[in-house]
Amino acid sequence: MAYKALDIANKILAKASSSDAGELISNMKLQKLLYYQQGFHLAYFGTPLFNEEIEAWMYGPVVPSVYAFYKDFDNQGIKHDEAVITLSHKEEALFDEVYKIYGDFSAVGLMNLTHSETPWKETPIAKGSVIDHEKMKNFFIKKLK
């Protein structure tokens, strides 16, 4: 089942604020974490975690609708809404594992990481330039092993 990207974004924000550091993350970092959540979900389950497209913008992968929703925060930390969705048991486990691996990276660290990966490198950088799900799936399947 695919969720709304904003619901997944809110779940990431809630996870960050409940971590040991109690971090409020920026829109830039949020965008990269959405990309990693989507990529690993595609690789593990064969389906998208959310239906909204991810585009290749200059500073890395972006879900335009989520970016627009949080753009007024600029580079400041974003607070999550109280209502946080619950995923299926297996999806929750994957979500937590992906966050555990990538959540400690800075926004710039995640940007640099995404820029070194095949889905980003094989997609033209421009607003409206969608990172293909199949490219993401194929790349992240290799990372699962």
Side-chain angles (χ1 to χ4, degrees):
M1 172 185 160
Y3 304 90
K4 294 179 182 175
L6 271 173
D7 288 339
I8 299 301
N10 189 54
K11 189 168 185 67
I12 291 169
L13 295 170
K15 186 82 171 167
S17 69
S18 70
S19 69
D20 291 340
E23 180 184 21
L24 295 179
I25 62 176
S26 67
N27 200 353
M28 182 175 175
K29 182 171 179 175
L30 176 62
Q31 297 301 319
K32 308 318 167 248
L33 292 173
L34 283 167
Y35 165 80
Y36 284 109
Q37 290 290 350
Q38 181 80 306
F40 280 105
H41 197 278
L42 285 164
Y44 190 82
F45 295 104
T47 59
L49 179 60
F50 52 86
N51 287 324
E52 292 86 343
E53 302 284 1
I54 298 177
E55 296 181 1
W57 290 13
M58 181 170 47
Y59 295 110
V62 171
V63 179
S65 61
V66 175
Y67 178 83
F69 188 82
Y70 292 117
K71 74 178 181 179
D72 291 343
F73 286 91
D74 197 30
N75 63 352
Q76 302 301 307
I78 305 168
K79 291 184 180 179
H80 72 282
D81 293 332
E82 291 303 315
V84 178
I85 64 167
T86 302
L87 310 176
S88 74
H89 180 70
K90 286 184 179 181
E91 288 173 322
E92 285 284 349
L94 180 63
F95 180 93
D96 288 346
E97 189 63 25
V98 171
Y99 188 85
K100 186 172 141 186
I101 293 167
Y102 294 96
D104 286 340
F105 281 86
S106 68
V108 172
L110 288 171
M111 177 193 73
N112 290 335
L113 195 58
T114 62
H115 284 194
S116 72
E117 297 170 345
T118 308
W120 168 264
K121 294 197 290 191
E122 292 182 354
T123 305
I125 292 122
K127 288 186 179 181
S129 183
V130 174
I131 300 175
D132 181 67
H133 278 182
E134 203 60 31
K135 283 181 188 173
M136 289 176 67
K137 180 180 174 182
N138 292 337
F139 175 78
F140 284 99
I141 281 174
K142 294 174 191 163
K143 295 191 77 73
L144 283 176
K145 296 177 181 176

